[in-house]
Amino acid sequence: MKSWTNLASGVRAWLDDLAVATTWQAALLKAIAFEVAQHARNRLALLLVVFFIPCWLMVVHGVLPARTLDFHSAVVDGAVTVAADQLALISAAINAVTLIVGFMMFTAVRRSNDFDQRLVLAGYSRPCLLLAKLAALFLLAAGVSAYATLAMTFFCDPHSVPALGLSLFSSGLTYGGLGIVLGLALSTELAGMFVIIMTSLVDVMVQNPVINPADGTGVLRYLPTYGAMQSGVAATFTDRGSVGHLLLGPLWFLAFALLALAAFHRRTRNRAEHTELVPADATTAVVTLRSRPDGSLVVESRSGPVVLCSHLGCDDPCPPPHRAAAKAPAKRGPARRAAPATATATTH
């Protein structure tokens, strides 16, 4: 019992230190926590994950006949005889994962645009915030693809369940990256949802020989989920796997991540003009204010010494620079822990 108490005390102390830390690693952990909390509040999407995936697979399995057909597999370099209903299950699972992950990332990015702008102005770096979104995407795609893989095992018997799960994870990464780009680039939610729905439907449908019986794969290989579909079929119906086809999804994800970085930099740029407030020979610095138990304020700067003025209309704009721990009068009433705040100061 004592060991658990010590562990809880250590975790609590670590969280308290993290709350006031200003390092890049601490900022990344905080940003990831923001993203995870944003997804956790999207209850509709979580309900879709729980109920839509198994219901959708059940409908597809019950509607399509169990006849056999030939699927042109690039993994085995030839035609593979598969059951039409089980092949449709793979298409349905990829479609469900891409839609859910794409929707959730698109919605989260759209809703956090203003918050990201404030975080950038408060001193968070843009690569740090974007890396947090990508980390949240990895966690989301892993959870949704694992659940979809588990649901698939109730309707078919894949030769390699881990390879099938990696195929779904690859497709989730691809459309999660697309969702981030659309959330940053498009101005309306309707446009983003329409693009995700139509892209996913066309992408998955044309690879199913039930709809497209053509054997040629010249154009299909350039589709975002081509690698996931090929590796998923090979994992379900054969004993062979293909790392190369699994890596096609992360390549699409990398391309979308680079586009997202450019779009995020443009979206969060500072449009405010402060030329009349900041001297021409001064540079802008971001400082962090922390309160001490005795009521004083500690000013920390990452850009060197800062100039502290008691009010905005300071008569002497360039007094001797100094680091300060300015005393603030303590307020009466119950003591409360003040959250770290940020402000903009000028350095000389």
Side-chain angles (χ1 to χ4, degrees), residues 111-124 129 268 342:
R111 292 179 179 177
S112 64
N113 277 335
D114 294 336
F115 184 60
D116 291 336
Q117 178 73 45
R118 292 194 292 269
L119 289 178
V120 170
L121 294 177
Y124 280 76
L129 294 177
T268 57
T342 58

Side-chain angles (χ1 to χ4, degrees), residues 80-103:
V80 178
T81 302
V82 299
D85 56 342
Q86 295 186 13
L87 180 64
L89 285 175
I90 300 175
S91 299
I94 292 177
N95 183 238
V97 171
T98 54
L99 287 178
I100 292 175
V101 176
F103 277 150

Side-chain angles (χ1 to χ4, degrees), residues 289-309:
L289 304 180
R290 293 193 295 107
S291 64
R292 288 176 174 172
D294 60 357
S296 62
L297 295 178
V298 179
V299 182
E300 296 179 351
S301 172
R302 303 181 187 176
S303 305
V306 297
V307 176
L308 296 182
C309 297

